[in-house]
Amino acid sequence: MARWEPDARGRMTRAALDLYAEQGFEQTTTAQIARRAGVTERTYFRHFADKREVLFDGSHELEAAVASAITAAPDTADPLDVVGDAVATAVAALEERRELAARRAAVVAATPHLQERELLKLAALRDAAAAALRARGVPEPDASMVAEAGVGAFRVGFDAWIASGQSRPVGDEVRSALAALRAQARG
Amino acid sequence: MARWEPDARGRMTRAALDLYAEQGFEQTTTAQIARRAGVTERTYFRHFADKREVLFDGSHELEAAVASAITAAPDTADPLDVVGDAVATAVAALEERRELAARRAAVVAATPHLQERELLKLAALRDAAAAALRARGVPEPDASMVAEAGVGAFRVGFDAWIASGQSRPVGDEVRSALAALRAQARG
């Protein structure tokens, strides 16, 4: 049992990741995850609704952080910059967990059920960003399209960060992706 | 049994849509869909892998149409215009099935399992568009970001088309969404 990570949620996430990588998502039960994390199955279900949610711990916090940053930006700020800054700042928390993030991304990419859940989380992040933009007075369809671009930059920047051998910060990769879209849009 | 639609696939799609709307996705079986469509369950499974795929008939064709249009665009065309034109042209086929598209969208929005499958289809469309752009020589992260914008415009334009009481063509809504992003990106 891994004791080096003190929090139960972190232990469960890491146990699930290990088991999904070792024996596959379908073959893994919540009982196995709980056992490896050193908790009861009841404790598991107090924290996570199912076998998928355990890999998406923190997604509500990410969504809230992005929405708050959009809300807190200066009134005069450019909407695309506002979303880009909000996402780049929020993902910076991943910086110190790159190896874990890379292993998690590989497991998700290999498991359609996890891909679907990830896409649902990204859609929720996009909707939260669009709502925060509308609250700033950004009209539609602008708010939705800027939110799409911001979440797109999150995905593309994150993938580039995981794929690259370089140690460029994840936030910089997100900003580069958005800058590329801006350059393309300028024609 | 609805006989006014001659093709079996169309009958199955419409039967599934009716049953999901009447009694919910979870409560509906493939046997019920097959019966209402006037086919055997065996025929159902020859056409669709599961209870979800029946609502995504034509998604491969859409993906292929978008990729071909990107490939066929003039060498000098602007990538964002190329993707926008490809998507706007491909969705125009929905124009004559607006009432069906609206009912389908309502069922998908009410059913997380269908939302997830829809997001997976949109991700496949995005990946196909990005690959076609790379084949034209568009570098990364530009190709992925332009593809994100194009598929974002598809979603946002489609939703606006369904939501609006006006009879503005769906392709125009897609183009407006992309134009809004372009204006935002120009600052």
Side-chain angles (χ1 to χ4, degrees), chain B:
Chain B
M1 186 194 321
R3 296 298 311 183
W4 52 270
E5 203 170 31
D7 63 308
R9 290 177 77 92
R11 283 208 314 279
M12 286 186 271
T13 295
R14 202 171 267 272
L17 200 51
D18 287 346
L19 288 164
Y20 296 164
E22 284 164 27
Q23 60 189 35
F25 173 80
E26 296 295 349
Q27 287 69 45
T28 301
T29 65
T30 52
Q32 292 172 331
I33 299 170
R35 192 180 321 125
R36 190 172 294 201
V39 300
T40 63
E41 203 173 355
R42 188 179 163 146
T43 296
Y44 179 91
F45 282 113
R46 210 161 52 226
H47 288 279
F48 303 109
D50 59 29
K51 250 169 69 176
R52 301 200 271 178
E53 283 300 310
V54 67
L55 289 199
F56 299 93
D57 196 19
S59 61
H60 279 293
E61 289 74 9
L62 176 71
E63 210 179 296
V66 168
S68 310
I70 292 171
T71 303
D75 285 352
T76 54
D78 173 86
L80 210 50
D81 282 341
V82 167
V83 170
D85 287 345
V87 172
T89 304
V91 299
L94 294 173
E95 203 60 50
E96 57 192 28
R97 286 175 284 165
R98 183 182 163 138
E99 187 259 339
L100 187 67
R103 289 182 54 228
R104 182 187 166 286
V107 167
V108 172
T111 316
H113 280 302
L114 292 171
Q115 277 174 50
E116 289 188 332
R117 183 61 58 94
E118 178 138 287
L119 290 166
L120 207 57
K121 299 289 181 186
L122 287 174
L125 176 62
R126 178 199 68 203
D127 292 347
L133 286 166
R134 282 194 299 272
R136 289 174 63 83
V138 179
E140 286 295 354
D142 303 54
S144 289
M145 288 302 298
V146 168
E148 289 277 0
V151 174
F154 173 34
R155 185 190 70 84
V156 172
F158 178 85
D159 286 356
W161 177 64
I162 293 297
S164 83
Q166 303 162 21
S167 58
R168 212 170 153 220
V170 61
D172 288 7
E173 296 285 2
V174 170
R175 286 178 207 278
S176 288
L178 211 53
L181 179 62
R182 206 187 266 278
Q184 286 288 341
R186 282 177 174 151

Side-chain angles (χ1 to χ4, degrees), chain A residues 47-66:
Chain A
H47 288 278
F48 304 110
D50 60 28
K51 249 170 69 176
R52 301 199 272 179
E53 284 299 311
V54 67
L55 289 199
F56 299 93
D57 195 19
S59 60
H60 279 294
E61 289 75 8
L62 176 70
E63 212 178 295
V66 168

